[in-house]
Amino acid sequence: MSAVRLVSVLVCMSFVASCGPSQAEVDALERRLSTLEKRVRSLEGGGGGGMAAKGKAKSKQKARGGKVTPSDDKAQVDVVGEVEAVMLQDADEKWPVPAVVSAGEYRILASFEAGGAPVDAGAITVKASTPMRVVCAVSTRTCVGELAE
């Protein structure tokens, strides 16, 4: 359902009781709301059980001195450089870096200023069991993936 249709339905519902949405529209709105809530929780690290939440929990464990051991098909990715926040994005999800992620291709989304919107700053190929790091430069507003030393 488009954002325009969603707004139309909500405006209509608030002013005129007789123009309410069909049951199919209500169901679609509830599914969309649920999806958005899960996405917000995963981006905030507040649960949801998704891979982003699991990666964030492992990152917190590492920060507390715990040892993170990626499984055979995953690798640790850390961040270095002049950047406020970095996320890796594949076709389905986003993971805040540092994170343990599955092997694969990811876009690097980076915020270079405090409170700034993330921008597409590069790409990284993560190989299984190969620690990587994302290195960012504010001068070029780019990030690259490289093997961790």
Side-chain angles (χ1 to χ4, degrees):
M1 177 177 293
S2 73
V4 173
R5 177 68 179 139
L6 174 61
V7 170
S8 298
V9 169
L10 293 175
V11 168
C12 186
M13 288 173 54
S14 65
F15 291 108
V16 181
S18 64
C19 72
S22 68
Q23 185 60 44
E25 288 174 318
V26 169
D27 293 342
L29 287 171
E30 288 175 348
R31 284 191 304 275
R32 179 73 177 143
L33 179 60
S34 176
T35 300
L36 290 172
E37 287 172 339
K38 287 178 186 176
R39 190 173 199 186
V40 167
R41 280 194 306 272
S42 71
L43 291 173
E44 292 176 340
M51 290 302 294
K54 292 176 185 174
K56 186 121 181 152
K58 288 183 181 181
S59 295
K60 286 181 181 177
Q61 176 186 3
K62 184 176 180 186
R64 290 191 309 261
K67 182 161 176 60
V68 175
T69 308
S71 65
D72 291 340
D73 65 336
K74 297 185 181 214
Q76 176 70 37
V77 179
D78 292 304
V79 63
V80 177
E82 309 160 331
V83 66
E84 289 294 318
V86 173
M87 290 189 294
L88 299 181
Q89 179 181 25
D90 67 5
D92 300 320
E93 291 189 68
K94 294 178 185 176
W95 291 267
V97 177
V100 174
V101 296
S102 297
E105 302 283 327
Y106 296 89
R107 295 304 305 164
I108 301 169
L109 304 176
S111 297
F112 291 95
E113 293 115 21
V119 297
D120 189 347
I124 186 172
T125 300
V126 176
K127 295 183 179 173
S129 302
T130 305
M132 301 288 293
R133 66 180 172 194
V134 174
V135 181
C136 298
V138 72
S139 60
T140 58
R141 298 179 68 82
T142 59
C143 300
V144 296
E146 64 181 37
L147 294 174
E149 296 178 355

